[in-house]
Amino acid sequence: MTCAEVQAMLPELIDETLDLSLKADVDRHLLTCPECSQASSEIRELFKAMENDRPLRPSIALKDNFLAMVEAETVAMEASKRRDAGKLVAMSWWSALGKTAVAAAILLLGIGIGYRIHNGSEAASSKEVADLKNAVKDVKETLMINMLGNESASERIKAVNYAEEIPAPNQRVINALVGALNTDKSVNVRLAALYSLARYNDNRAVTDSLVSSLGRQTEPIIQIVLINILGERREPKAIQPIRNLLDNQKTLKEVKDMARKELNKL
């Protein structure tokens, strides 16, 4: 587990929401990495300060200002990329935009806690906290989409995997995943995007996108996984694209074998 991966999980570790299967690995890393240990201490101090501070009532424009800050950070990073054209820039989720946005997101949630204490109204504070959580969700979506533009395939795979941590992603996130599936130059990124999209069994638009994608994929592994997913879903719209693959002389035998198997289900 790398420092970037560990630092990306620190807020959840400290908030005690990190999956137990990951917690042990993160704890072991912190024992041997001074940099990550320092980052953990800083975030813990931030949490402690928010808990001890008096309740604050943010201005109406707080959410808009927060999202504007993230957008400004994104624009600045893109400008920096253009100045360094030709170089491969490795960007971790916790660096630059990620570190700024996560710290601000934690602050927003802390203010949400303050709302509950200050208002004394469970109904009102619950709505306020829900609004702030939605703001944090927006930030996560912005980070994921920004990471998909990274030149490093490993960073783009991280972005796709990060999408799985976003509850009920909006159409913007889904469109970004479909775009990665159809156009990313790395087959590994496309495969990761496919597996991520496969989670949305009840989303008609996603299923239609998978059917459409089948006709444009040329990598056998992507074709096989797509055929399997659509066959398991008993998707009738997949019949013709699958038949097209069977009729194509360039289609590999392994792909045709899977196509015949899944076509029988349809």
Side-chain angles (χ1 to χ4, degrees), residues 177-184 190 193-194 197 210 213 217 222 226:
L177 291 173
V178 171
L181 168 62
N182 289 333
T183 65
D184 198 280
R190 298 204 301 275
L194 174 54
L197 287 166
L210 296 182
S213 181
Q217 297 295 336
I222 304 292
L226 261 174

Side-chain angles (χ1 to χ4, degrees), residues 46-211:
L46 179 59
F47 268 104
K48 184 178 179 180
M50 288 189 300
E51 290 173 356
N52 294 335
D53 200 6
R54 62 183 177 83
L56 299 174
R57 175 169 293 278
S59 67
I60 297 174
L62 175 61
K63 179 178 176 180
D64 292 337
N65 289 341
F66 172 55
L67 296 177
M69 176 201 69
V70 174
E71 181 64 24
E73 290 283 348
T74 303
V75 171
M77 288 177 63
E78 290 302 319
S80 176
K81 276 177 158 183
R82 288 192 292 271
R83 286 194 300 269
D84 296 331
K87 295 181 180 179
L88 293 178
V89 181
M91 180 190 71
S92 70
W93 184 83
W94 186 252
S95 64
L97 173 61
K99 191 168 185 177
T100 302
V102 172
I106 295 172
L107 178 59
L108 281 176
L109 288 177
I111 293 173
I113 296 171
Y115 268 138
R116 286 200 301 270
I117 300 172
H118 181 78
N119 291 341
S121 170
E122 185 65 27
S125 63
S126 295
K127 181 181 183 303
E128 305 270 2
V129 171
D131 288 343
L132 292 173
K133 286 184 177 180
N134 286 334
V136 174
K137 178 173 174 285
D138 289 342
V139 172
K140 287 185 176 182
E141 292 171 351
T142 299
L143 288 172
M144 187 277 287
I145 293 172
N146 186 71
M147 288 173 67
L148 279 175
N150 196 283
E151 293 183 12
S152 166
S154 62
E155 289 298 317
R156 298 199 301 276
I157 290 175
K158 288 178 185 178
V160 172
N161 292 335
Y162 184 41
E164 298 183 8
E165 300 176 16
I166 301 175
N170 62 22
Q171 193 60 42
R172 184 174 64 144
V173 171
I174 290 175
N175 289 343
L177 291 173
V178 171
L181 168 62
N182 289 333
T183 65
D184 198 280
K185 58 188 177 183
S186 166
V187 63
N188 291 328
V189 175
R190 298 204 301 275
L191 188 60
L194 174 54
Y195 280 124
S196 185
L197 287 166
R199 297 181 301 123
Y200 308 116
N201 293 324
D202 57 348
N203 190 312
R204 183 67 247 177
V206 169
T207 301
D208 288 343
S209 294
L210 296 182
V211 172

Side-chain angles (χ1 to χ4, degrees), residues 232-251:
E232 291 298 321
R233 293 186 182 185
R234 305 294 195 274
E235 176 50 53
K237 291 183 180 180
I239 293 176
Q240 190 56 53
I242 292 176
R243 285 177 175 167
N244 291 343
L245 285 174
L246 286 171
D247 293 338
N248 191 334
Q249 294 182 351
K250 295 182 179 180
T251 303

Side-chain angles (χ1 to χ4, degrees), residues 1-19 21-23 25-26 30 40 43 93-94 102 162 165:
M1 188 171 286
T2 67
C3 289
E5 292 169 334
V6 168
Q7 292 181 11
M9 292 184 244
L10 288 179
E12 292 175 278
L13 173 71
I14 295 167
D15 199 35
E16 298 182 352
T17 58
L18 184 64
D19 190 280
S21 63
L22 297 172
K23 184 178 182 299
D25 290 336
V26 173
L30 291 177
S40 175
I43 296 176
W93 184 83
W94 186 252
V102 172
Y162 184 41
E165 300 176 16

